[in-house]
Amino acid sequence: AAAVGEETQGGRDLPPFARKGISPSRPASSQLRYHARMTQRARSRKPTAAALAAAEARLELRSRDNGQRLSPMRRAVFRQMLAEAAPQTAYQVLDGVRAALRKKVAPLSVYRALDFLEAEGWVHRLESLRAFRLCEHPGHAHAGVLFLCSGCGGAEEAEDRALESLIERGASRRGFRAERRVVEVLGRCRNCAG
């Protein structure tokens, strides 16, 4: 049987971006460890066709619920983001989309699709890397903490409710409305630090 928050299909765990999320009743430290384990699994293998289809179906459903259209370009950019676990620059995404569609694609089209995915909560914009990364638990506003390795280029995401609360309180005291809540921590992962 799958653990809380894990879904399986065909005997394989679905990666974080294809799951519905984890139980809010689990302690935050447990959630951080869980997401770290799932990120490692996602990095170590390409998503299965079933996982891709599940993630795409969730995006399509959420887009429809929000009155948005999932255009062919948005779908192609989303698929490219799913294909790579590491952060990608817009031009890396563009190259992947061009290769997948086997046609010329304008950079502006990719930027618009990335903006859409970011606004819908499916990707994080990494300011320090000038890159994008798929959100591991899309669908709700959260203070994403991204640990970015300068050695291997890997990235791990954690959700921290205490940080989220701190940001909300700070914004509220200042009459500030936060539009993005992403904290980037640059350093070396456990594999590169040794």
Side-chain angles (χ1 to χ4, degrees):
V4 174
E6 288 185 76
E7 296 177 17
T8 60
Q9 182 145 349
R12 293 187 68 174
D13 291 339
L14 292 176
F17 44 74
R19 292 180 291 108
K20 291 181 182 171
I22 61 177
S23 168
S25 63
R26 294 177 75 181
S29 60
S30 173
Q31 290 185 28
L32 293 176
R33 286 191 304 273
Y34 176 79
H35 282 299
R37 278 195 323 274
M38 292 308 291
T39 300
Q40 286 300 100
R41 285 185 195 170
R43 257 196 220 139
S44 66
R45 66 172 191 256
K46 293 285 185 192
T48 64
L52 293 172
E56 210 170 297
R58 287 184 57 222
L59 172 63
E60 189 154 6
L61 180 64
R62 188 153 319 124
S63 297
R64 195 174 332 122
D65 289 348
N66 292 339
Q68 299 286 339
R69 188 171 88 77
L70 187 58
S71 68
M73 180 56 62
R74 289 173 175 174
R75 186 181 306 275
V77 169
F78 182 68
R79 286 177 179 167
Q80 176 59 31
M81 293 302 299
L82 284 171
E84 295 292 329
Q88 300 175 69
T89 67
Y91 280 92
Q92 288 171 324
V93 174
L94 175 65
D95 290 343
V97 169
R98 283 179 176 162
L101 297 179
R102 295 186 180 140
K103 68 178 191 177
K104 189 172 174 95
V105 175
L108 185 57
S109 299
V110 169
Y111 275 108
R112 285 182 181 150
L114 286 167
D115 286 343
F116 165 79
L117 292 171
E118 181 184 14
E120 293 296 310
W122 286 88
V123 299
H124 292 293
R125 181 184 305 260
L126 307 177
E127 300 293 342
S128 63
L129 299 178
R130 295 187 178 141
F132 297 86
R133 183 176 191 278
L134 204 63
C135 179
E136 291 180 16
H137 25 75
H140 65 282
H142 62 279
V145 180
L146 295 155
F147 296 92
L148 308 172
C149 180
S150 58
C152 66
E156 289 190 36
E157 180 178 354
E159 188 173 3
D160 189 326
R161 297 199 195 290
L163 177 61
E164 193 170 329
S165 177
L166 178 68
I167 291 170
E168 290 295 327
R169 282 194 320 270
S172 177
R173 277 195 303 258
R174 292 163 178 80
F176 187 81
R177 194 179 114 235
E179 294 174 358
R180 291 181 55 233
R181 299 176 194 108
V182 179
V183 175
E184 299 174 29
V185 180
L186 302 174
R188 293 194 169 271
C189 69
R190 111 184 70 225
N191 294 332
C192 295

